[in-house]
Amino acid sequence: MTARDNRGIPRREFVKSAVAIGGTAALAACLDRERSGDDAAAIPTGTDDPTSLPRGQHSWNEFLATDAHGNDVAPRHHLLLSLDYAGDGTPSSDERETVEVALQSLERAFEWSNEGLLFTVGYSPAYFARFDDELPDSAGMADPKALSPFEEPEFDTNDAVVHLASDHGSVVLEAEEALKGSRDEANGVEMDAHLGDVFDFPDDFPGRRTGFVGAGLPAEHQDVAGIPDDVDIDEESPLFMGFKSGFKKNQASEDFVTIPDGPFAGGTTQHVSRIRLRLDDWYTENDREENVAKMFCPAHAKEGKVEGAGDNLGTSSGVEEAGCVESIDDDARNYGKIGHTQKTAAAREDGSPLIIRRDFDSTDKDEAGLHFLAVQRSIADFEKTREAMNGTDQTKHPTIRQRVNNGILEYTFVKRRGNFLLPPRAHRALPEPNPQ
Ligand code: HEM
């Protein structure tokens, strides 16, 4: 098998827990477990030619594993690290150099793939506020805000966020320690600089957020608040709610989400929210038909279109093809409920979804949760998609309430939101609002 095959990785409860705990001891244990012994994972090293890597930090898809249908498969382990610029005033060119050298060291240490490491560095509106110049409109940025009438999220105010993703927990942990400067090398490759010289890393949640996605991982980590004790999450399901997500035809392409012009052309924007899951009723009160109706659409439920976690659907949820976007009013009248996918699929442009979903489950704070990370050309595209998900206009039907019979809103609670600009690689180190 090649590095990019879907390897059907066996249970890794230990590794996932180590990622959640973090620190040098967890890393040592994880390295011991994953990278020594008979079934040691050989982690491919990366490149010392930065020009061989894609222009966009978000260009991940062609470097990911694919499943039997050709869908991109998300890396299994994820870390989100918040960063605060440690200096006064605005960053110097020396500091920019340090950041770029540290990031290039990581790219030498790990192959740019799910078998190595994929990562992005994003900058918040709070970061750009220190400059006299403003970000141009073409950057597509906006302050985070509440995106539904029924949420009161806290907002991310750190200067930057690093997203680390790999199929190997030891890789994201090692990259974290190397970036912080508590390790001089990563994957046997020397780090020529680290970010600890330029940034402070707040330690606890939400400074450090962790997660996982992939068949088997939710089942192994279901022993948290929000998931009833007597329920067995489907071993095949990549997410706590029991269904596969991210079908190829239900994601925007990377080209579609790339900023087309202006100084950040080639980059994109990133929204990161934390959603708490309360799945008691989802798993104990609802039957499968109800859950399929609420996740996809009532017609899919009635026709039994979704088997298990939904792998049988191939490369598309089939909601658009089945006319469920147009039938939403009829569904509300006839079935008394509407589905998450039929609502969100209404937020398309020229047939394409507006966002690429790269979300992953989490047990941070010992609660079942999901870090909903998405990239899109502008934050407005995310807001438009979220507005469609709210389904507020459907409350004109007596059976549909703002959170009841309205997709998955009854079971999901938004706790945090943050917006970040992911500059193209060329400007990823402490950018000015108008880099040349
Ligand atoms: C617990 C949280 C969530 C879960 C478990 C979930 C799950 C799913 C599933 C199973 C699908 C259908 C399969 C697919 O198309 O990949 C889907 C579609 C989708 N979801 Fe979610 N979702 C969640 C939250 C969100 C949020 C917060 C947004 C954005 C505001 C969102 C946006 C979308 C979009 C855009 C689609 C595809 C629509 C299209 O085909 O155009 N989802 N989701």
Side-chain angles (χ1 to χ4, degrees):
M1 287 198 197
T2 69
R4 289 182 191 129
D5 280 341
N6 183 4
R7 307 189 318 144
I9 297 163
R11 288 182 166 226
R12 284 196 183 164
E13 177 162 10
F14 170 83
V15 170
K16 199 258 118 202
S17 306
V19 174
I21 294 162
T24 44
L27 170 60
C30 202
L31 284 174
D32 190 43
R33 187 76 163 239
E34 275 193 341
R35 303 222 208 135
S36 61
D38 291 344
D39 56 353
I43 308 295
T45 50
T47 177
D48 48 17
D49 174 12
T51 62
S52 66
L53 295 169
R55 182 181 181 208
Q57 300 188 67
H58 61 294
S59 295
W60 289 17
N61 290 354
E62 67 174 293
F63 307 94
L64 290 174
T66 48
D67 68 13
H69 307 288
N71 296 304
D72 296 319
V73 180
R76 290 169 68 86
H77 297 284
H78 296 256
L79 265 182
L80 286 170
L81 302 175
S82 299
L83 277 60
D84 286 316
Y85 174 59
D88 295 325
T90 53
S92 65
S93 50
D94 279 357
E95 288 168 328
R96 269 188 197 106
E97 173 78 9
T98 301
V99 171
E100 184 54 32
V101 168
L103 299 177
Q104 286 186 15
S105 297
L106 265 197
E107 287 163 349
R108 274 207 316 281
F110 299 107
E111 182 184 78
W112 185 254
S113 79
N114 57 300
E115 288 291 340
L117 176 73
L118 293 162
F119 67 90
T120 60
V121 189
Y123 295 87
S124 69
Y127 165 78
F128 287 107
R130 59 176 42 79
F131 296 94
D132 290 337
D133 287 350
E134 301 216 337
L135 273 176
D137 289 347
S138 58
M141 276 299 281
D143 286 335
K145 61 178 186 188
L147 294 179
S148 69
F150 47 88
E151 64 178 48
E152 287 183 2
E154 291 181 65
F155 300 120
D156 287 347
T157 53
N158 300 96
D159 288 322
V161 70
V162 171
H163 177 200
L164 303 169
S166 171
D167 277 347
H168 305 284
S170 62
V171 169
V172 291
L173 279 175
E174 197 181 15
E176 176 187 14
E177 294 307 319
L179 283 179
K180 287 180 173 170
S182 42
R183 215 176 149 76
D184 294 334
E185 55 165 55
N187 203 22
V189 174
E190 195 178 338
M191 294 289 292
D192 292 334
H194 58 82
L195 299 186
D197 287 340
V198 179
F199 287 110
D200 294 327
F201 288 79
D203 266 346
D204 298 329
F205 183 93
R208 185 176 189 279
R209 293 173 246 186
T210 72
F212 50 88
V213 53
L217 290 169
E220 282 161 17
H221 298 96
Q222 61 170 81
D223 190 14
V224 279
I227 309 228
D229 289 344
D230 50 355
V231 159
D232 286 327
I233 305 243
D234 182 355
E235 285 283 341
E236 296 301 312
S237 175
L239 292 169
F240 278 135
M241 291 192 80
F243 295 103
K244 178 171 171 166
S245 112
F247 295 107
K248 213 175 178 69
K249 294 188 179 151
N250 304 96
Q251 295 273 47
S253 69
E254 287 176 343
D255 276 353
F256 188 95
V257 302
T258 298
I259 295 172
D261 41 43
F264 294 103
T268 192
T269 72
Q270 183 184 61
H271 180 80
V272 184
S273 56
R274 174 176 179 261
I275 303 181
R276 186 171 177 196
L277 302 174
R278 290 206 147 129
L279 301 181
D280 299 77
D281 289 351
W282 181 256
Y283 279 117
T284 53
E285 232 174 63
N286 300 356
D287 58 18
R288 172 155 180 99
E289 197 169 319
E290 174 139 13
N291 284 354
V292 172
K294 287 181 170 173
M295 187 59 88
F296 294 88
C297 60
H300 269 33
K302 186 161 161 260
E303 291 159 26
K305 276 201 180 151
V306 186
E307 293 166 18
D311 187 61
N312 69 301
L313 293 170
T315 53
S316 170
S317 69
V319 162
E320 259 245 323
E321 295 86 332
C324 296
V325 180
E326 293 77 21
S327 70
I328 193 158
D329 273 306
D330 289 341
D331 289 352
R333 265 192 297 274
N334 298 335
Y335 299 99
K337 54 179 86 74
I338 51 175
H340 168 71
T341 313
Q342 75 185 138
K343 280 186 295 175
T344 46
R348 291 186 173 202
E349 198 178 287
D350 301 330
S352 168
L354 301 178
I355 68 176
I356 301 180
R357 291 166 282 143
R358 289 187 173 154
D359 51 295
F360 47 91
D361 275 344
S362 175
T363 53
D364 287 346
K365 295 166 84 84
D366 291 325
E367 295 170 347
L370 178 116
H371 293 300
F372 195 87
L373 187 155
V375 292
Q376 52 282 310
R377 204 167 22 191
S378 71
I379 294 298
D381 283 344
F382 182 82
E383 293 174 356
K384 191 171 163 202
T385 306
R386 175 63 212 206
E387 198 177 316
M389 176 175 164
N390 289 342
T392 307
D393 51 336
Q394 291 300 321
T395 58
K396 66 189 176 206
H397 300 284
T399 50
I400 314 288
R401 304 270 43 95
Q402 184 56 84
R403 302 195 84 151
V404 180
N405 294 327
N406 196 342
I408 54 176
L409 296 175
E410 192 178 339
Y411 317 98
T412 58
F413 300 82
V414 175
K415 297 296 190 185
R416 303 193 65 82
R417 292 196 180 280
N419 291 337
F420 301 90
L421 176 65
L422 301 189
R425 243 193 193 80
H427 297 313
R428 67 182 169 177
L430 294 163
E432 294 178 349
N434 259 306
Q436 298 306 306

